[in-house]
Amino acid sequence: MFDKANNLSVRNFMKSLGKFIIFIGQLFVRRESFKTYAVRTVDESIKVGYNSVFIVVIVSAFMGAVTTVQTAYNLISPLIADPIIALVVRDMTLLELAPTITAIVYAGKVGSNIAGELGTMKITEQVDALEVMGINATSYLVLPKIIGSVLMFPILVILAGFVSIYGGYLTALVTGVISGTDYILGIQMTFIPFAVTFALIKAVVFGFLVAAISSYKGYFTTGGALEVGQSSTNAVTSSCIAILAADYLLAYLLAPLLTP
Amino acid sequence: MITVNNISKSFDDKQVLFNINLEFEPGKSNMIIGASGTGKSVLLKCIVGLIKPDEGTVEFNGRSFANASKELQTEVRREMGMLFQGGALFDSLTVEQNVMFPLNVLTKQSEEEKLERVNFCLERVGLENVNRKMPSEISGGMKKRVGIARAIVTKPNYLFCDEPNSGLDPQTSIKIDNLIQDITQEYGITTVVVSHDMNSVLEMGDIVNFMHEGKILWTGPSSEIGDSDVQELNDFVFAGRLMKMVKGV
Ligand SMILES: Nc1ncnc2c1ncn2[C@@H]1O[C@H](COP(=O)(O)OP(=O)(O)OP(=O)(O)O)[C@@H](O)[C@H]1O
Ligand SMILES: [Mg+2]
């Protein structure tokens, strides 16, 4: 019984995966002019990137502040020099918080938006209308979203990293848990440049996953308004799971390269 | 000329279309009528290739469409205009941008030429001063008319309308019917109109195909519709006539 159910869910998962891969393949059957795609990509980039700046800044400022305070309280020991606190904040931000937490927030904002938009277009026959005009609706609608997301999300991650580390600095100054000089000293200690590359690789992967999965969920919506809501929710859930799985996989593959 | 050969379609276990054979002639308003849920919209979507039929083929002037290459499909589609049952306007674009959309994507006209054409089409469907409005700001009937304007803006060879006058008042409804008929004759378009409104059937149907539970039961000119001996068609028409008598039209 259990086995049977398990088999079924594996089968369903493989089926969705296959459908997802075919969906992604269809994106590259191009029919419209390059200019059309360029204009669409700029539009989508603004939509996913610029409109997420506010939430990303808020979240990462607090992320930096909280990390600094927490680390400081946990490392109260005469044996640990104060700059180490800043070092911890830096590494946590670059390696995990800036790409991954931002990606989760991004999935909640952009992922649900993409799925909702495409789902609505699907059920109100707007997608059909595009197809009848002889436009490859999949690539016309989805490809610019994915490219926009892959381009913009790394920028958001850089912003998040910067704001988070700066937020930590301001917190240090305001609360006095460590001095500003120690903080500045700490964030430069044993710095491994690959950490930034690592964060950006993650960002590209997460940017792709959120846009592609959410588009997929939205694009295959059938039914009515209720189903559009469900697609949005599913898009966020699936994106988050994919982000965490990819995070683990990338850590496994790339962490060994983190040597000075 | 559009030829529909032997189309069947099922969803899961439910067969919706049964071996449909039809011919649509250019310069004529070809109507498909029938009660709600008989499969008219599904048939129309099979014809334009939005739904892949389980069996059968569709030919546009001899070009087989259903199993054609992507390139040929695109080529044929660029000669099509379609009005969807709900209008299917793009929510994020204004009325003007909606109507201009096919021109933007499919042609290389200058901005002025496009605008002129858009205004001409909007005027023809009786819409003025709504260019800057969003679809959410106009009424259902207006959406439909914008949908028609968008469908005819590229001067298509084939025009498909799914219930062009549902949700419209009788006056506008007649205007729209006349409009569709005019452009059909003027440009020699092959027009296929799905409807369940007897008024417009009698008004504009050059050739009427009556559909019942996924089958075509009767085909003929609208003037002969009363003389048929198909019981289902008589029921359908009689319901319409009864309505007219009650309303005293
Ligand atoms: N995508 C689909 N999946 C499953 N069943 C469908 C699908 N589309 C349509 N059907 C079914 O096919 C039948 C015919 O639907 P269709 O929309 O063609 O009716 P219609 O003749 O256009 O009716 P109306 O005049 O109300 O628009 C209905 O019973 C409907 O439930
Ligand atoms: Mg219908």
Side-chain angles (χ1 to χ4, degrees), chain A residues 32 125-126 131-132 134 140, chain B residues 45 77-78 89 91 101:
Chain A
E32 276 60 60
E125 298 180 316
Q126 293 174 50
E131 284 287 344
V132 169
Y140 178 83
Chain B
K45 286 185 178 171
R77 281 203 170 143
R78 294 197 165 173
L89 302 183
D91 309 311
F101 186 89

Side-chain angles (χ1 to χ4, degrees), chain A residues 35, chain B residues 99-100 102-118 121 152-155:
Chain A
K35 191 178 151 233
Chain B
V99 180
M100 202 185 275
L103 296 178
N104 284 340
V105 185
L106 306 179
T107 69
K108 289 197 163 53
Q109 298 173 8
S110 74
E111 217 45 47
E112 295 86 63
E113 279 175 307
K114 284 190 279 190
L115 202 60
E116 195 182 320
R117 177 76 189 152
V118 167
C121 290
I152 60 173
V153 76
T154 49
K155 301 185 184 156

Side-chain angles (χ1 to χ4, degrees), chain A residues 107 111-117 217-218 221 227-237:
Chain A
S112 62
N113 189 308
I114 289 178
E117 183 188 325
K217 290 286 178 190
T221 307
E227 283 79 5
V228 173
Q230 281 167 359
S231 295
S232 285
T233 314
N234 285 343
V236 177
T237 317

Side-chain angles (χ1 to χ4, degrees), chain A residues 29 31-32 36 117 120-121 124-135 140, chain B residues 45 48 50 70 74 77-78 82 84-86 88-91 101-102 105-106 150:
Chain A
V29 187
R31 289 190 214 156
E32 276 60 60
T36 310
E117 183 188 325
T120 307
M121 290 190 78
T124 56
E125 298 180 316
Q126 293 174 50
V127 173
D128 288 346
L130 282 172
E131 284 287 344
V132 169
M133 287 174 199
I135 293 167
Y140 178 83
Chain B
K45 286 185 178 171
V48 300
L50 287 172
K70 281 262 183 276
T74 307
R77 281 203 170 143
R78 294 197 165 173
M82 181 159 179
F84 286 85
Q85 199 163 351
L89 302 183
F90 303 123
D91 309 311
F101 186 89
V105 185
L106 306 179
R150 187 178 66 184

